[in-house]
Amino acid sequence: MGERLEVTRDNMVEEVAERINQIIHEYEFPLPVLQDVQKRLSDSNCPHYAMQQLRYLENNVQVGIAKRKEVLN
């Protein structure tokens, strides 16, 4: 039998935080968007609420509000 992967609250929080950091590193967001997400994340430690904030950032990318950062070599 295969090994069962246990999804814990801590794993979920860590994964969501990592993805939020990655998307913020890759894209330029308007300051009010970043301030809003920071405020909302500081108000709650619920992983599902953090996932909502991640979806909000991803939606900003999809509709073109956030632009991919240029890579300087």
Side-chain angles (χ1 to χ4, degrees), residues 5-48:
L5 177 63
E6 183 178 344
V7 177
T8 65
R9 183 176 192 273
D10 289 341
N11 290 351
M12 182 183 288
V13 169
E14 187 176 312
E15 186 174 320
V16 171
E18 185 176 310
R19 179 62 184 132
I20 287 173
N21 286 332
Q22 179 184 11
I23 199 169
I24 288 173
H25 180 75
E26 292 177 8
Y27 291 88
E28 289 280 342
F29 289 89
L31 184 57
V33 170
L34 295 176
Q35 290 172 328
D36 185 40
V37 169
Q38 180 191 25
K39 172 75 170 114
R40 291 172 185 271
L41 289 174
S42 68
D43 287 345
S44 173
N45 62 358
C46 173
H48 298 290

Side-chain angles (χ1 to χ4, degrees), residues 32-71:
V33 170
L34 295 176
Q35 290 172 328
D36 185 40
V37 169
Q38 180 191 25
K39 172 75 170 114
R40 291 172 185 271
L41 289 174
S42 68
D43 287 345
S44 173
N45 62 358
C46 173
H48 298 290
Y49 193 61
M51 288 174 65
Q52 288 178 336
Q53 300 314 303
L54 173 57
R55 283 192 299 274
Y56 174 61
L57 291 172
E58 291 172 336
N59 289 339
N60 273 267
V61 170
Q62 289 177 351
V63 299
I65 293 171
K67 306 292 183 195
R68 184 173 289 278
K69 292 179 180 178
E70 291 185 31
V71 178

